[in-house]
Amino acid sequence: MKIQLIIYLIFNLALPQLTFANEKDASGVHIYNEVCSVCHSGGVANAPKIGDQNAWKKLINEGQVIITAHGYVGVRAMPPKGGKESLSIGQFAEALIYMVNKSGGHWVSPSKSMLAEINNEIANRKKSQ
């Protein structure tokens, strides 16, 4: 009986935490599932489908700062913040990183200096709209 309890505890308490060892990875997946998947899982309004390396290649090549800022403000048919007004830049960035990395990219969480660049690009983008 004790062995069964130990096995139960390992599988139900320890392993779920190992699935997302990095809290930011968990956040990116969660936000993707909650917000982004509505369009990016099926290509609604020409949204690049997650996993489609050809569709994401051009975007990835534009760079993390540009794509994060433009997506956050809204681009083409995509509403600002993917339609979830409460998303912070950091949360939006993590969801985008998740999609990019599932689609051929190798992006990492933005540093403070990259977040400053993203904020500058957001300000520039808003001025030009």
Side-chain angles (χ1 to χ4, degrees):
M1 189 69 168
K2 287 183 182 183
I3 292 174
Q4 290 174 333
L5 178 61
I6 291 170
I7 291 171
Y8 172 82
L9 290 173
I10 289 171
F11 280 99
N12 290 297
L13 298 176
L15 290 180
Q17 293 174 3
L18 294 175
T19 304
F20 298 116
N22 180 335
E23 187 176 313
K24 289 186 177 188
D25 290 344
S27 173
V29 171
H30 173 75
I31 293 165
Y32 168 77
N33 287 331
E34 182 183 318
V35 180
C36 312
S37 67
V38 173
C39 296
H40 288 280
S41 65
V44 173
N46 293 318
K49 292 181 188 178
I50 189 168
D52 184 342
Q53 292 185 11
N54 289 327
W56 281 94
K57 186 176 183 175
K58 180 181 174 190
L59 297 171
I60 292 168
N61 288 338
E62 287 185 44
Q64 189 169 352
V65 170
I66 298 296
I67 297 307
T68 303
H70 292 192
Y72 191 75
V73 174
V75 62
R76 294 178 286 284
M78 183 177 156
K81 304 175 189 179
K84 184 169 183 174
E85 192 59 34
S86 64
L87 284 183
S88 69
I89 294 169
Q91 291 170 318
F92 183 86
E94 292 304 324
L96 182 57
I97 290 165
Y98 173 75
M99 289 189 289
V100 164
N101 291 348
K102 290 290 186 183
S103 305
H106 303 286
W107 288 3
V108 297
S109 295
S111 63
K112 286 183 181 182
S113 63
M114 183 185 285
L115 281 173
E117 290 179 58
I118 292 168
N119 279 314
N120 286 336
E121 184 61 30
I122 287 170
N124 291 336
R125 181 82 173 172
K126 285 181 177 180
K127 285 179 191 175
S128 69
Q129 287 185 331

